[in-house]
């Protein structure tokens, strides 16, 4: 069964203090690892898709990387508006279309 | 805005009542998904449609839950005889079968069962 574990559960940073969020996964035949951002009371907002180990993608202050067992979301010089819950999900093999999500990391950036 | 829309945004009901939620996907998307999310957890997959065909269902989807996508466009999720444990955010997502097949989510329907 596909599984995703995110750490830490919550993270508080000062504005400008860079850090990384971790997503560990086990999946039979990875067909995509996805990062989403979710603000309170709203649906997840798509950020990145990674498909193979060594792949990296960037968007503004965010950079996602992928290895065979985990993915990292690096946040460089964050701002208060980066505060949100960041969700990681995988799409496994065998033709399944569903995403399996981790529990998320709740990120707070203090000004 | 041409994103995924869901209606209603909030629903409060009494235990034992039936409720129905609607999802309108992004117009050219042929795949539609329903997920459920409880507080502090990630979304959990419920079911998936390709056009009007329901191709995948989770074990979470008990007999009290039914989903339809009659014309391959909008979808409805009905919960019969609601229980307090059904209280959650119900999320709909859609994707285009070709290309990256990225799932884009709607704003969700928050269900509270009293």
């Amino acid at each position: 069964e596909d599984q995703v574990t995110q750490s830490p559960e919550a993270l508080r940073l000062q504005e400008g203090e860079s850090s990384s969020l971790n997503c560990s996964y086990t999946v039979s035949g990875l067909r995509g690892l996805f990062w989403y951002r979710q603000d309170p009371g709203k649906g997840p907002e798509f950020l990145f898709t990674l498909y193979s180990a060594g792949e990296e993608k960037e968007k503004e202050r965010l950079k996602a990387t992928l290895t065979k067992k985990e993915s990292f979301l690096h946040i460089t010089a964050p701002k208060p508006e980066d505060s949100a819950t960041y969700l990681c999900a995988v799409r496994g093999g065998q033709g399944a279309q569903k995403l399996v999500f981790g529990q998320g990391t709740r990120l707070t950036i203090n000004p | 805005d041409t994103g995924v829309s869901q209606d209603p945004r909030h629903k409060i009901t009494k235990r034992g009542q039936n409720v129905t939620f609607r999802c309108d996907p992004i117009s050219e998307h042929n795949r539609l998904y329903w997920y459920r999310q409880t507080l502090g957890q990630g979304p959990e997959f419920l079911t998936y449609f390709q056009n009007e065909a329901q191709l995948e269902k989770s074990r979470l989807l008990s007999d009290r839950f039914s989903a339809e996508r009659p014309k391959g466009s909008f979808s409805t999720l009905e919960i019969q005889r609601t229980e307090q444990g059904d209280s959650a955010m119900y999320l709909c997502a859609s994707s285009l079968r070709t290309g990256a097949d990225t799932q884009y989510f709607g704003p969700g329907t928050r269900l509270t069962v009293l």
Side-chain angles (χ1 to χ4, degrees), chain B residues 12-107:
Chain B
I12 300 173
T13 191
K14 294 182 179 179
R15 187 163 49 99
Q17 298 294 304
N18 299 343
V19 294
T20 300
F21 309 141
R22 176 179 170 126
C23 171
D24 287 88
I26 295 171
S27 58
E28 66 270 23
H29 284 187
N30 49 11
R31 288 178 167 171
L32 187 147
Y33 312 78
W34 286 98
Y35 290 81
R36 181 172 67 185
Q37 186 177 27
T38 54
L39 202 60
Q41 300 298 314
E44 291 179 293
F45 172 78
L46 293 177
T47 191
Y48 146 66
F49 290 86
Q50 181 163 299
N51 300 314
E52 65 275 10
Q54 188 173 20
L55 297 184
E56 201 174 339
K57 290 172 64 173
S58 166
R59 289 188 297 271
L60 293 174
L61 212 64
S62 76
D63 291 344
R64 296 185 297 105
F65 288 70
S66 63
E68 293 183 342
R69 195 182 183 198
K71 296 183 179 180
S73 56
F74 72 92
S75 175
T76 58
L77 178 69
E78 181 183 16
I79 308 174
Q80 295 182 330
R81 305 181 302 282
T82 53
E83 302 172 355
Q84 287 187 326
D86 296 331
S87 296
M89 174 79 89
Y90 289 83
L91 293 163
C92 176
S94 70
S95 70
L96 188 59
R97 182 182 176 185
T98 58
D101 201 10
T102 300
Q103 294 183 26
Y104 294 92
F105 284 82

Side-chain angles (χ1 to χ4, degrees), chain A residues 36 38 43 91 97-99 102, chain B residues 31 35 37 42 101 103 106:
Chain A
Y36 287 85
Q38 187 173 30
R91 182 165 59 205
Q97 294 302 319
K98 69 179 183 183
L99 297 181
Chain B
R31 288 178 167 171
Y35 290 81
Q37 186 177 27
D101 201 10
Q103 294 183 26

Side-chain angles (χ1 to χ4, degrees), chain A residues 3 7 16 23 26 29 47 66 68 70 90 92 100-101 103 107-108:
Chain A
Q3 285 191 315
S7 62
C23 170
T26 55
L47 293 174
L66 182 65
K68 288 186 177 180
E70 56 192 352
V90 296
V100 176
F101 282 85
Q103 80 278 21
L107 177 66
T108 304

Side-chain angles (χ1 to χ4, degrees), chain A residues 44-95:
Chain A
E45 175 188 347
F46 171 71
L47 293 174
F48 304 110
T49 309
L50 302 167
Y51 291 101
S52 55
E55 190 174 358
E56 299 182 351
K57 287 195 177 170
E58 285 188 69
K59 179 181 179 180
E60 295 180 355
R61 295 177 292 281
L62 300 177
K63 178 180 176 180
T65 62
L66 182 65
T67 72
K68 288 186 177 180
K69 292 185 177 182
E70 56 192 352
S71 177
F72 292 93
L73 185 65
H74 307 277
I75 302 176
T76 303
K79 299 181 178 182
E81 53 263 40
D82 294 322
S83 298
T85 295
Y86 290 86
L87 296 164
C88 172
V90 296
R91 182 165 59 205
Q94 302 174 345

